[in-house]
Amino acid sequence: MPIESNQDKGVTGAAKFVTSTLGNTVGGVTRTVGGVAGTAGRGIGDTITGATGSAGEPVGNALSSASSGLESGVKRVADGAENAGKWNFQVPSSIA
């Protein structure tokens, strides 16, 4: 049987449960949307490059890169939401 601390009872325990559920839900949905958007953008970029050859390559590559950047940024937001739900906030090294 796990040892419970007094901090996980009462109002604090309820708040941790709610924020954990909310943080994990928001993080999961955000990560899914970002993954779909990133994958779709890269696919469209690759299609443009493939269909137009060297003429459309800069546009296709730019769209692919932007989509990858969007996906990466959304992943960081999702990680932050999940960490907040765990009450485990850490300042990213890029900010600290």
Side-chain angles (χ1 to χ4, degrees), residues 75-91:
K75 181 188 179 303
R76 291 184 71 184
V77 170
D79 288 345
E82 290 174 355
N83 284 340
K86 295 174 188 171
W87 291 43
N88 182 24
F89 179 75
Q90 296 178 359
V91 177

Side-chain angles (χ1 to χ4, degrees), residues 3-69:
I3 299 173
E4 293 184 25
S5 70
N6 288 334
Q7 293 178 339
D8 292 338
K9 293 183 179 179
V11 174
T12 302
K16 284 186 176 185
F17 174 77
V18 170
T19 56
S20 174
T21 302
L22 185 60
N24 289 334
T25 302
V26 169
V29 169
T30 302
R31 189 181 319 280
T32 300
V33 170
V36 169
T39 301
R42 281 190 301 277
I44 293 169
D46 291 347
T47 300
I48 290 171
T49 299
T52 59
S54 61
E57 187 175 15
V59 173
N61 289 346
L63 183 57
S64 292
S65 292
S67 298
S68 293

